[in-house]
């Protein structure tokens, strides 16, 4: 397989990340179901991008790979329509505090995926400048 092919099932990262373009690495994050692995990959990719070990945002000669409509999610994640989610209250009880933290964790997970999706979906097709990639890598890491 090519050096930046998706990691084998059950493994999130491999030494081949440094051989990826940033867009290829973004696609790898979007294809990873585990939120813990997504976060770890995000930190690793951001460090490689910052250090220059991932030096190309994209390969202008490569065929554009469209990101998935929805990023991979762990099978334990049950997406619920917003109208069906119980109201959380103001955090006055331990249960509502846990529910609020749980919601924030989901929001952060989606923010990571959204940042990588924007990089993968719009970076190469629109020949975006390096600052575009820097900004969305920073958002993903935040």
């Amino acid at each position: 397989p090519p050096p930046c092919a998706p990691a084998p099932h059950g493994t999130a990262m491999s030494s081949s990340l440094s051989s990826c373009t940033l867009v290829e690495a973004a696609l790898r994050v979007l294809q990873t179901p585990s939120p813990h692995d997504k976060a770890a990959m995000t930190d690793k990719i951001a460090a490689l991008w910052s250090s220059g070990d991932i030096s190309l945002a994209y390969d202008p000669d490569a065929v554009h790979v469209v990101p998935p409509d929805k990023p991979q999610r762990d099978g334990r994640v049950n997406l619920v329509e917003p109208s069906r989610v119980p109201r959380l209250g103001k955090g006055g009880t331990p249960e509502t505090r846990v529910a609020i933290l749980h919601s924030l964790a989901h929001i952060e997970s989606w923010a990571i995926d959204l940042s990588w999706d924007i990089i993968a979906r719009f970076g190469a097709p629109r020949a975006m400048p390096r600052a575009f990639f820097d900004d969305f890598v920073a958002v993903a890491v935040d």
Side-chain angles (χ1 to χ4, degrees):
C4 196
H9 183 68
T11 61
M13 289 185 278
S14 71
S15 60
S16 67
L17 274 174
S18 61
S19 67
C20 296
T21 67
L22 188 63
V23 167
E24 290 169 332
L27 289 166
R28 182 152 335 151
V29 173
L30 295 171
Q31 296 164 349
T32 300
S34 165
H36 298 287
D37 291 346
K38 285 178 186 276
M41 288 177 72
T42 293
D43 289 341
K44 175 78 172 172
I45 293 164
L48 291 169
W49 178 248
S50 177
S51 71
D53 289 326
I54 292 179
S55 57
L56 289 176
Y58 60 91
D59 178 352
D61 298 324
V63 174
H64 175 65
V65 176
V66 178
D69 288 337
K70 290 185 179 180
Q72 289 290 314
R73 285 283 180 254
D74 189 304
R76 297 172 294 170
V77 173
N78 181 23
L79 298 178
V80 179
E81 291 295 323
S83 63
R84 301 191 69 172
V85 176
R87 301 207 22 99
L88 296 179
K90 297 180 181 178
T93 67
E95 293 79 15
T96 58
R97 289 184 192 126
V98 168
I100 289 169
L101 290 174
H102 181 88
S103 295
L104 287 173
H106 280 284
I107 291 166
E108 291 298 318
S109 179
W110 282 105
I112 290 170
D113 283 327
L114 182 58
S115 298
W116 291 121
D117 184 88
I118 290 168
I119 287 170
R121 191 173 304 276
F122 302 114
R126 298 191 182 183
M128 298 303 284
R130 179 162 180 114
F132 168 87
F133 296 100
D134 290 342
D135 287 347
F136 280 101
V137 168
V139 171
V141 170
D142 279 349

